[in-house]
Amino acid sequence: MRPTTAGVTRALCLAAALAAVGLLPWLSGRDPALTVLRARSAEQEPTKEALSAIRRDLGLDAGPLSLLGDWAAGLLRGDLGTSWVSGTDILPSVVAGLQVSLGLMAAALSVAVLLAAALVTPVLLRGRGSAGAFAAMAAAVPEFLLATVALLVCGVWLGWLPTSGWQGPEYLVLPAVALGVPAGGLLGRLVADALPAVLDERWVELWRGAGVNRTRVARAALRRVLSPLVPQFGMVAVGLTGGAVAVETVFAVPGIGRTALGAATSQDLPLLQGAVLALLALGLVTGAVAALVRRRLLGPALRDAGLSLPPARPVRAHPAIPAVLGTLLLGAIGWGLFRDPYAVDTAARLAPPSWANPMGTDGLGRDVLARLGHGAASTVGTAAAVCLLSLVVALALGFLPGIAAGAADIANALPPVIVGILVAAAAGPGTGGAALAVALISWPPLAAHAAALVQEVRASAFLTAQRAIGAPPLWILTRHVLPSVAAPVARHALLRLPGIALALASLGFLGLGAQPPAPEWGLLLDESRAYVERAPWAALAPAAALALLAGLAVSGAAYAQGRERRVAPGRTVRKEAAHAV
């Protein structure tokens, strides 16, 4: 029954996404004929006759529904149509862009796995975790800023690697590092967060007592902990393919994401539809592969209700970690609030840090510290609201795995840029539209995590025993299922808070979010990118603030959970003993 539900949900969401893309010219309120005319020839006058000829040539006179029908009919024949701008076939362009993005995805995923392994290895050796502040900071590094810095340092200053294009393996290195470091920080933190509880299970103690070597125990523990996280690896892989628009732009990589952005900008509707269709197909295939791998990892335990979930064991964080991070972040924000973020001093353009301007000035001579402080409310507040909404939606959909799986595969395959374009076309660019766009696609990783945990909790031997002794469903839900699911998913949501802020920043970077002269952190990164070589402090300030936000969110949550554990040791011990039954 669930596969059928998931299949129907996928089909409905796929149709809705393609219809929204197909209706983009009409949603925007702009004349698509005028946009196509300017894309074909910027010098030609947009006369009534010229626009009418383009409408007849493209079939726009028949209306959007007829245009969608013709495209769908061609799709059934394997024909994606021809470009409105260049007049060439769409299929070769889409295939070429997808091949480039898949190669970049494989290289970036390799970097991510290596970094994740480096973060997980100390946990396997020590048998206990850490607060995860370093991993959270790595996950919060802005990809386009990391790409720009890598290009300047390794490409321009040192001359080690090429700075743009796509002509050989050496062109993979810098974009792969820029994409792989944040993804590796995220994956490494998720695995390292779940490992300590697994290493405390009874079977680990028995294996070690029987003389089983440490390598075999580590492999078994990783197999045990990866099953609910496999969907996250799949979603990260899809995100590396479709969400790398900014990195592809910095390095002039002709990937599928950059192709989709260019098509949307020029309103080349057939090319945009083909690119989005390729991304959606990739998301569906990756989701199916992840589900298959997860079932193989779990084996017959899921079918036979033979799982025994590890008790939650929060990692204790030293109170100094969140205290120091919070003091630095709040101190900088509070200091900046007392300064004017809009005052322009052209005589002090790109001034280095000084007593008058502790974080220097930007390209217009505005105080970077003031803009950082005044932009905190919109950046962090909007990201927190989107994160909370995503958590609520994820916990609700976690109990509807069929619907969640189908919708998540489609939503995760859409890059924030594409959704941002659709939302901005209907509602106009702005903070509200950017928040809506990010909210529409930020819940799938959390929902997949929640659904996997719910499935394993329901299949656990302990829950089967609870049903056998007559425990009511509401009791089981509130006392066992929700506590086992909500805590790890909430920690996951906290880890994604800086990523949501970065998604909002990327939309501002592309002109789809907050508009100048708003002191939003994403705009600060965008405005400083052009002169990062001359004035790196203007870019480092918002990047450091995002990294501090990530470290504070994760280490603060770890400290709060560890303190709760110390306050109520009896209740925690009883809960762990009950889970061990």
Side-chain angles (χ1 to χ4, degrees), residues 234-523:
M235 289 184 174
V236 167
V238 176
L240 290 175
T241 304
V245 180
V247 174
E248 291 178 355
T249 301
V250 170
F251 292 103
V253 176
I256 192 68
R258 186 168 173 237
T259 300
L261 177 62
T265 303
S266 62
Q267 288 207 6
D268 192 349
L269 182 58
L271 182 57
L272 178 60
Q273 286 175 319
V276 171
L277 183 63
L279 290 172
L280 291 173
L282 177 64
L284 293 175
V285 171
T286 305
V289 172
L292 179 62
V293 171
R294 180 169 176 268
R295 287 185 175 275
R296 291 296 298 264
L297 286 174
L298 289 174
L302 185 62
R303 183 188 67 244
D304 300 336
L307 290 174
S308 176
L309 289 180
R313 197 190 74 168
V315 177
R316 296 182 181 181
H318 195 282
I321 297 176
V324 170
L325 295 178
T327 300
L328 291 174
L329 183 60
L330 293 178
I333 292 173
W335 195 1
L337 289 175
F338 290 99
R339 309 171 73 91
D340 187 356
Y342 299 105
V344 176
D345 183 4
T346 55
R349 292 179 63 253
L350 304 180
S354 62
W355 179 252
N357 303 109
M359 291 187 180
T361 61
D362 64 7
L364 296 178
R366 296 173 297 189
D367 188 2
V368 173
L369 177 61
R371 295 183 64 75
L372 182 73
H374 285 267
S378 61
T379 303
V380 181
T382 304
V386 172
C387 185
L388 180 61
L389 178 62
S390 301
L391 176 61
V392 172
V393 172
L395 291 176
L397 291 179
F399 293 90
L400 302 171
I403 296 176
D409 288 341
I410 301 300
N412 186 69
L414 289 171
V417 172
I418 302 301
V419 182
I421 290 171
L422 296 176
V423 173
T431 303
L436 176 60
V438 175
L440 288 174
I441 60 170
S442 61
W443 59 268
L446 300 178
H449 195 180
L453 291 175
V454 167
Q455 191 178 25
E456 294 192 21
V457 171
R458 286 175 170 173
S460 65
F462 169 71
L463 218 61
T464 303
Q466 288 287 308
R467 296 191 190 100
I469 64 176
L474 184 60
W475 171 272
I476 294 175
L477 174 66
T478 58
R479 302 287 294 188
H480 299 292
V481 179
L482 276 179
S484 299
V485 174
V489 177
R491 284 176 60 83
H492 186 179
L494 279 175
L495 185 59
R496 288 192 174 270
L497 174 63
I500 291 174
L502 286 178
L504 294 170
S506 67
L507 293 179
F509 171 79
L510 297 169
L512 302 174
Q515 301 297 299
E520 197 265 339
W521 289 0
L523 283 178

Side-chain angles (χ1 to χ4, degrees), residues 104-212:
L104 179 58
M105 178 199 73
L109 197 58
S110 300
V111 174
V113 170
L114 289 175
L115 178 58
L119 295 172
V120 170
T121 299
V123 180
L124 286 173
L125 295 177
R126 297 195 310 258
R128 57 185 177 85
S130 63
F134 175 77
M137 290 181 179
V141 176
E143 295 168 347
F144 50 86
L145 178 62
L146 185 58
T148 304
V149 173
L151 184 147
L152 287 174
V153 175
C154 299
V156 177
W157 295 347
L158 301 177
W160 290 348
L161 295 165
T163 58
S164 64
W166 190 262
Q167 301 176 12
E170 65 275 13
Y171 290 81
L172 273 171
V173 178
L174 294 181
V177 170
L179 289 171
V181 168
L186 174 62
L187 295 178
R189 184 65 204 120
L190 290 175
V191 177
D193 186 48
L195 263 179
V198 171
L199 295 174
D200 268 356
E201 289 184 331
R202 179 64 174 168
W203 66 268
V204 176
E205 182 181 350
L206 293 175
W207 280 30
R208 288 172 177 169
V212 178

